[in-house]
Amino acid sequence: MPLTGFAAWGIAHAVSVVGALDGDGDRFMSVPWLVSFLLLWWVPLAWLERARTPAEPEDTAALDALTVTVQIPVYNEDPAALRACLHSALAQSRPVTRVRVVDDGSAHPDGIPLTYDDVRAELHRQAAARGIEVTWDRTANRGKRHAQMHVLAHDDADIFVTLDSDSVLDVDAIAEGLKPFADPKVQSVAGQVIVLNHDVNALTRLICLLYLPFTRGLRSAQSVLRRVTINSGTLAFYRAELVRRAAGAYENEQFRGRPMQMNDDSMLTFYALLAGDTVHQPSSLVFTLAPQRWTHYLRQQMRWMRGTTVRHLWWLRYMPLTGIVFWTTVAEYLHIALTLAIPAVLIAHPVYRGHLDTVALLGVLIAVIMSYLMALRLFTVGRTDMSTRQTLLLFAAAPLAALWRALFLRPLYLYAMATCHRVNRWGTRKSIEVDLAGAR
């Protein structure tokens, strides 16, 4: 249904533009409207994504033989959330080889070290019972990248899994995330990220909707093309040799002379893009704790937006001119330019100024349709912690997410682009900011 609707919309656009160029209509805005439509290429393509599975029995045997290390960096995490994260890593249907935890100098607000002694002892007991190797190191606070490479630079596994300490794996997450590696061209796999604390307050409900255009929209479309540009650090899989080769460069990345402390996930994906294919596996599920306070959410968004801006510059510089990543990055900036230029032209042009109410109404209608098109993704994952009523209410609220994106996130993104040099501070967690209590 979404594909059919989008196709009909595309045909209507094409007919309108051809008519305008033939003199049957006004040519002035026909081409910009068509370009705006084409920049939504990822919307229909996303619906073609399917979970990848091994083609041959020997592929399954090869996947079973892979050694897998799960790395979990920890910094000022809620002990209950960390305990749930670690248990989920140990209780996988496809057991992992080892779990390596690095505490990046967690501390209470008064400076006293937060050591998680009970959680660490429980991890060792559970891992020993399952025959899984575990390590737990505590380092001085240097940031997530240093915490990761503290153990991964010399780990001999075949596959590295990066998992955030505030996230809980579905029992089949590892098994599903490994399946794309049956293809030797695949260098990295992104898991599907879902909000765990979805019903805590209005903010977490909003975030559930805001995640969809990227996690099940753009990323799904990129996966069809095998060119996913950003894996969520929440859950991602990498060929280990790829990460080991990046040791020294990855944790010491700089931008304008400042150490890059954000967008670690996009940098690892960048290395994978240079080496081969990058995909998304929608059946590899991870449930993460989203910000529960607006101040936390704002700092998180600034961190993501600034880091993404820097990564855009890297893609434009290092990705092939004939490749998809380069041109979709160009398209992103073209989309931003048109978002600013088209309203300005409509207001300034004497003919169109009198039709602003009609244009605004059509714009709202299109935004609502697009919102519901993306929100259909809510129904692709069955959740035991989410009632049908909750899902339907969330779906009904989809246009509010589009409004928030247009009125707040887009202006914030422009500010983040202008201040993208501020990349040397993590900017999120000085103390425990999210907990598992609200997700129960």
Side-chain angles (χ1 to χ4, degrees):
M1 289 175 60
L3 288 172
T4 301
F6 201 90
W9 189 22
I11 292 170
H13 263 277
V15 171
S16 175
V17 170
V18 170
L21 296 179
D22 284 343
D24 296 334
D26 193 339
R27 304 182 184 185
F28 188 68
M29 290 297 295
S30 59
V31 173
W33 285 128
L34 179 61
V35 172
S36 299
F37 172 79
L38 293 176
L39 290 175
L40 297 173
W41 60 272
W42 53 271
V43 177
L45 193 60
W47 289 89
L48 299 178
E49 182 190 37
R50 297 292 182 271
R52 287 171 165 79
T53 58
E56 304 294 339
E58 54 266 30
D59 293 335
T60 300
L63 293 176
D64 291 340
L66 293 173
T67 57
V68 179
T69 290
V70 178
Q71 200 286 319
I72 305 172
V74 178
Y75 182 67
N76 288 357
E77 193 60 77
D78 170 43
L82 177 57
R83 185 177 283 108
C85 172
L86 296 172
H87 176 74
S88 73
L90 295 177
Q92 288 294 297
S93 61
R94 192 284 192 193
V96 301
T97 309
R98 62 182 69 97
V99 176
R100 310 200 68 171
V101 180
V102 178
D103 180 356
D104 188 37
S106 298
H108 294 283
D110 58 5
I112 297 176
L114 177 59
T115 57
Y116 304 104
D117 293 336
D118 293 343
V119 179
R120 184 172 66 253
E122 183 178 333
L123 170 66
H124 282 284
R125 286 195 302 270
Q126 292 182 352
R130 290 176 165 85
I132 297 174
E133 178 187 345
V134 298
T135 63
W136 186 303
D137 297 342
R138 180 179 171 88
T139 64
N141 180 236
R142 298 182 65 191
K144 184 177 180 180
R145 298 187 188 209
H146 288 276
Q148 291 174 325
M149 298 309 291
H150 176 74
V151 290
L152 295 185
H154 306 290
D155 190 291
D156 63 355
D158 299 310
I159 302 293
F160 288 154
V161 180
T162 60
L163 175 63
D164 281 352
S165 55
D166 58 1
S167 304
V168 180
L169 295 172
D170 175 71
V171 68
D172 296 316
I174 297 297
E176 292 298 317
L178 291 176
K179 287 180 179 179
F181 288 109
D183 183 347
K185 295 180 181 179
V186 171
Q187 299 296 310
S188 74
V189 177
Q192 182 183 171
V193 182
I194 303 170
V195 175
L196 178 60
N197 51 341
H198 61 90
D199 209 33
V200 171
N201 54 34
L203 175 59
T204 59
R205 296 184 191 100
L206 178 66
I207 292 174
C208 281
L209 294 168
L210 291 171
Y211 271 17
L212 293 174
F214 182 70
T215 60
R216 291 309 311 275
L218 180 60
R219 184 180 289 160
S220 292
Q222 291 176 334
S223 185
V224 174
L225 301 173
R226 307 171 73 87
R227 307 308 288 165
V228 169
T229 54
I230 301 177
N231 296 332
S232 292
T234 311
L235 174 63
F237 302 72
Y238 300 92
R239 293 203 184 270
E241 183 56 32
L242 177 84
V243 179
R244 285 191 289 263
R245 287 200 305 267
Y250 166 64
E251 63 269 40
N252 294 301
E253 181 190 2
Q254 293 189 352
F255 179 69
R256 292 182 58 177
R258 301 186 181 195
M260 186 76 166
Q261 289 281 25
M262 51 190 67
N263 270 58
D264 48 277
D265 42 15
S266 70
M267 192 60 185
L268 288 177
T269 317
F270 176 71
Y271 292 134
L273 279 167
L274 293 174
D277 293 345
T278 57
V279 300
H280 173 244
Q281 181 73 328
S283 54
S284 180
L285 307 179
V286 61
F287 298 83
T288 191
L289 290 172
Q292 299 170 182
R293 294 192 298 272
W294 291 98
T295 53
H296 181 193
Y297 172 72
L298 176 62
R299 282 180 279 125
Q300 182 196 68
Q301 291 302 305
M302 286 302 300
R303 173 166 57 88
W304 287 357
M305 291 174 180
R306 283 171 174 160
T308 300
T309 300
V310 174
R311 201 59 65 229
H312 281 161
L313 299 177
W314 268 211
W315 297 335
L316 291 174
R317 180 174 179 179
Y318 294 107
M319 289 291 105
L321 290 177
T322 56
I324 295 167
V325 175
F326 179 89
W327 287 107
T328 53
T329 305
V330 172
E332 169 68 17
Y333 284 103
L334 180 58
H335 184 265
I336 294 172
L338 288 175
T339 301
L340 298 173
I342 290 178
V345 170
L346 291 174
I347 293 172
H349 196 277
V351 174
Y352 287 102
R353 196 181 304 132
H355 302 283
L356 282 179
D357 54 346
T358 303
V359 173
L361 179 61
L362 288 173
V364 169
L365 179 61
I366 291 171
V368 169
I369 293 172
M370 293 292 294
S371 298
Y372 283 124
L373 190 63
M374 280 292 101
L376 284 173
R377 293 292 196 179
L378 289 169
F379 301 100
T380 62
V381 176
R383 300 183 59 165
T384 57
D385 65 337
M386 199 170 188
S387 67
T388 302
R389 178 178 177 274
Q390 287 175 313
T391 306
L392 290 173
L393 288 174
L394 198 58
F395 178 77
L400 296 178
L403 184 65
W404 176 258
R405 193 176 293 109
L407 297 182
F408 179 75
L409 293 183
R410 179 60 70 181
L412 186 66
Y413 188 31
L414 296 176
Y415 174 74
M417 290 173 60
T419 59
C420 65
H421 60 283
R422 300 177 186 175
V423 294
N424 60 319
R425 291 187 179 275
W426 186 252
T428 307
R429 187 180 299 154
K430 296 181 181 179
S431 60
I432 296 173
E433 293 195 294
V434 291
D435 57 58
L436 196 62
R440 292 172 180 168

